[in-house]
């Protein structure tokens, strides 16, 4: 959990329960520009994106595609994030972040390292993509507080862990947990998290250093007393908003359509590499074999010589594999013919007689995220998963 490194006792989560939204300190309200496709609003969106410096953008680029806020990151991805974090810490931002009003408000956890000393609650909830993790910081009130919130979903609920906070110096906050509770929509009361904070003693205490906070107040890097590094943001850029919507399943179609309407470019390449399908508008299902042969599931491997491959993991080490060719046939459009399919088990393969032809129309590709229309005009969102 965000910046919570003292040991807590994890509880099993039943996903049938609801939501709560009480907070000690009301977060600041920020105005977001509507992502409608017009020249004026595109210019406004560009201005909004400029709040991130070049070094901050490097960190955001490194974070794109990271699953579970770092849980499933590859060693290469971790190194890229670590380089970007260290560069920002050297550049420095706000001189004394704990003295600045910019630190107050709601921060979303984007990434955390996971040392063996991480608290059980952190190990239990933070790595789940479908959950959203926030930290509310309130240091300007009569009572300084830090609240860490795991939002399971709109339909399920939240867990909120609260701590008293004390500013030690310009960078360090000392905290001590004092209460925590679940809140469910179907219940008119909160369900206490059964942790005896008073009996935990030093285990309920900790400190948090803010090693970088952007002058725009939108990115924060913190390091905790148990060695954990946290990357948090107040505002997320459009790609992060898109991936968050897909992970949580909230308003995905609307966010995707807004994104590609404003992000389309005149010429986009298919993009070599290994691409994992995250989401599609497919609603009518056929057999999984038919879906796999049409690229409606699994991974696409794009090679520079015109070769394309679909790979779908089945069960017990079995995979579906289908290879073919792609040829550019128009602006942002490729003709694809898939004609060599097999069920693979280790070094053995069972050929499958099938041929599939369709076009891929590219809408967006920045080397990290690809949005395209494929078989039957279905809209797809892919994330690149191989190391560049």
């Amino acid at each position: 959990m965000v910046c919570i490194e003292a040991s807590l006792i994890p509880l099993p989560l039943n996903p049938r329960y609801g939501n709560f939204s009480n907070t000690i300190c009301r977060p600041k309200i920020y105005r977001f520009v509507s992502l409608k496709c017009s020249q004026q609003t595109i210019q406004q969106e560009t201005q909004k994106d400029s709040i991130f410096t070049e070094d901050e953008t490097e960190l955001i680029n490194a974070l794109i595609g990271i699953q579970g806020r770092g849980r499933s990151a590859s060693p290469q991805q971790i190194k890229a994030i670590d380089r970007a974090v260290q560069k920002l810490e050297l550049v420095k931002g706000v001189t004394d972040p704990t003295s600045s009003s910019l630190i107050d408000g709601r921060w979303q956890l984007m990434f955390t390292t996971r040392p063996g000393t991480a608290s059980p609650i952190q190990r239990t909830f933070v790595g789940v993509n479908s959950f959203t993790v926030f930290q509310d910081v309130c240091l300007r009130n009569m009572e300084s507080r830090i609240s860490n919130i795991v939002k399971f979903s709109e339909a399920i609920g939240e867990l909120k862990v609260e701590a008293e906070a004390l500013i030690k110096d310009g960078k360090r906050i000392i905290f001590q947990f004092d209460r925590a509770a679940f809140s469910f929509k179907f219940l008119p009361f909160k369900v206490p998290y059964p942790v005896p904070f008073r009996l935990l003693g030093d285990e309920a205490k900790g400190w948090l250093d803010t090693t970088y906070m952007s002058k725009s107040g939108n990115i924060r890097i913190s390091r905790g007393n148990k060695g954990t590094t946290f990357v948090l943001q107040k505002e997320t850029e459009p790609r992060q908003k898109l991936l968050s919507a897909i992970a949580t399943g909230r308003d995905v179609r609307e966010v995707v359509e807004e994104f590609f309407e404003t992000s389309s470019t005149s010429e986009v390449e298919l993009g070599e590499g290994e691409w994992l399908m995250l989401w599609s508008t497919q609603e009518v299902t056929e057999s999984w074999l038919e879906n796999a042969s049409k690229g409606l599931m699994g991974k696409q491997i794009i090679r520079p010589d015109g070769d394309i491959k679909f790979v779908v993991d089945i069960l017990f080490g079995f995979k579906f594999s289908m290879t073919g060719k792609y040829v550019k046939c128009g602006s942002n459009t490729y003709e694809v013919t898939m004609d060599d399919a097999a069920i693979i088990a280790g070094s053995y393969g069972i050929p499958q007689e099938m041929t599939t032809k369709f076009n891929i129309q590219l809408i967006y590709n920045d080397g990290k995220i690809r949005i395209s229309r494929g078989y039957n005009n279905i809209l797809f969102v892919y994330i690149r998963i191989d190391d560049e």
Side-chain angles (χ1 to χ4, degrees):
M1 164 175 278
V2 191
C3 308
I4 295 294
E5 297 192 89
S7 295
L8 296 181
I9 304 169
L11 291 179
L13 174 65
N14 189 327
R16 295 178 296 176
Y17 301 119
N19 178 49
F20 82 107
S21 58
N22 293 332
T23 58
I24 293 296
C25 172
R26 179 171 297 177
K28 296 178 182 177
I29 298 174
Y30 294 89
R31 184 182 300 276
F32 289 85
V33 179
S34 173
L35 291 176
K36 296 298 180 183
C37 190
S38 71
Q39 186 63 34
Q40 180 181 2
T41 54
I42 290 175
Q43 291 174 349
Q44 290 175 321
E45 183 66 23
T46 301
Q47 292 173 358
K48 188 194 84 170
D49 289 345
S50 68
I51 62 175
F52 298 111
T53 67
E54 183 177 343
D55 290 332
E56 290 166 356
T57 301
E58 180 181 338
L59 173 59
I60 291 172
N61 285 335
L63 292 171
I64 294 295
I66 297 293
Q67 300 294 301
R69 282 166 282 269
R71 171 177 282 181
S72 303
S74 69
Q76 290 79 8
Q77 289 173 319
I78 295 294
K79 287 180 181 178
I81 293 171
D82 191 49
R83 283 195 301 268
V85 165
Q86 291 184 35
K87 183 182 291 188
L88 286 173
E89 289 176 331
L90 289 173
V91 169
K92 300 183 180 179
V94 176
T95 305
D96 295 316
T98 60
S99 300
S100 171
S101 61
L102 292 174
I103 200 170
D104 281 5
R106 171 159 287 192
W107 297 86
Q108 182 175 344
L109 179 66
M110 310 306 296
F111 172 83
T112 176
T113 55
R114 305 188 62 81
T117 55
S119 67
I121 195 169
Q122 184 174 317
R123 294 195 300 270
T124 302
F125 296 130
V126 169
V128 180
N129 259 345
S130 59
F131 298 166
T132 309
V133 184
F134 298 103
Q135 182 181 79
D136 286 347
V137 178
C138 305
L139 302 180
R140 300 293 169 269
N141 286 7
M142 292 292 292
E143 182 184 12
S144 297
R145 308 283 296 177
I146 294 179
S147 300
N148 296 296
I149 301 158
V150 178
K151 187 170 186 177
F152 306 123
S153 76
E154 295 291 342
I156 298 173
E158 292 180 347
L159 168 65
K160 183 176 182 180
V161 181
E162 302 178 41
E164 291 182 303
L166 175 66
I167 297 174
K168 181 178 181 181
D169 55 37
K171 294 184 181 296
R172 179 163 294 185
I173 299 171
I174 300 172
F175 61 84
Q176 180 170 358
F177 300 114
D178 56 9
R179 57 178 176 257
F182 292 93
S183 187
F184 305 118
K185 277 189 173 179
F186 77 100
L187 291 176
F189 53 85
K190 297 179 182 179
V191 178
Y193 189 92
V195 177
F197 289 108
R198 293 182 181 179
L199 300 179
L200 288 177
D202 290 343
E203 289 296 318
K205 300 177 182 178
W207 53 259
L208 187 70
D209 284 345
T210 296
T211 56
Y212 176 82
M213 187 167 70
S214 63
K215 294 183 179 179
S216 65
N218 285 299
I219 291 184
R220 191 178 109 224
I221 299 170
S222 294
R223 297 183 184 269
N225 57 290
K226 292 191 176 181
T228 308
T229 301
F230 304 94
V231 178
L232 307 100
Q233 291 178 232
K234 278 184 181 174
E235 283 192 39
T236 54
E237 60 127 70
R239 292 177 301 170
Q240 293 174 308
K241 180 182 178 183
L242 170 65
L243 295 177
S244 177
I246 292 172
T248 59
R250 293 194 291 267
D251 303 321
V252 181
R253 188 184 291 267
E254 291 81 359
V255 174
V256 170
E257 289 178 354
E258 287 176 353
F259 180 86
F260 79 71
E261 283 175 2
T262 58
S263 302
S264 299
T265 55
S266 57
E267 193 68 24
V268 184
E269 296 299 322
L270 186 57
E272 302 167 21
E274 189 170 339
W275 298 84
L276 176 67
M277 194 194 79
L278 295 180
W279 179 86
S280 77
T281 55
Q282 177 196 9
E283 295 179 355
V284 179
T285 61
E286 301 171 306
S287 73
W288 73 265
L289 197 59
E290 289 292 324
N291 285 337
S293 69
K294 295 168 183 174
L296 305 184
M297 57 199 301
K299 295 182 289 188
Q300 285 186 4
I301 300 173
I302 311 295
R303 297 192 174 98
D305 54 1
D307 288 340
I308 182 171
K309 184 177 184 179
F310 297 162
V311 179
V312 179
D313 292 324
I314 309 173
L315 288 172
F316 309 116
F318 284 83
K319 295 183 179 182
F320 172 82
S321 174
M322 191 171 190
T323 58
K325 291 285 186 180
Y326 65 90
V327 178
K328 191 165 187 177
C329 59
S331 177
N332 297 340
T333 305
Y334 292 79
E335 186 178 272
V336 178
T337 302
M338 308 297 293
D339 55 11
D340 185 6
I343 304 294
I344 306 295
S347 58
Y348 299 95
I350 305 172
Q352 303 292 310
E353 293 294 330
M354 55 178 60
T355 299
T356 304
K357 293 184 179 182
F358 57 91
N359 285 349
I360 294 178
Q361 179 190 2
L362 295 174
I363 298 167
Y364 176 86
N365 188 348
D366 64 0
K368 293 272 191 177
I369 294 174
R370 193 183 87 202
I371 301 178
S372 58
R373 291 192 181 276
Y375 173 80
N376 205 25
N377 208 36
I378 294 171
L379 185 66
F380 296 89
V381 177
Y382 291 88
I383 188 88
R384 187 169 178 179
I385 57 176
D386 60 334
D387 297 315
E388 299 178 69

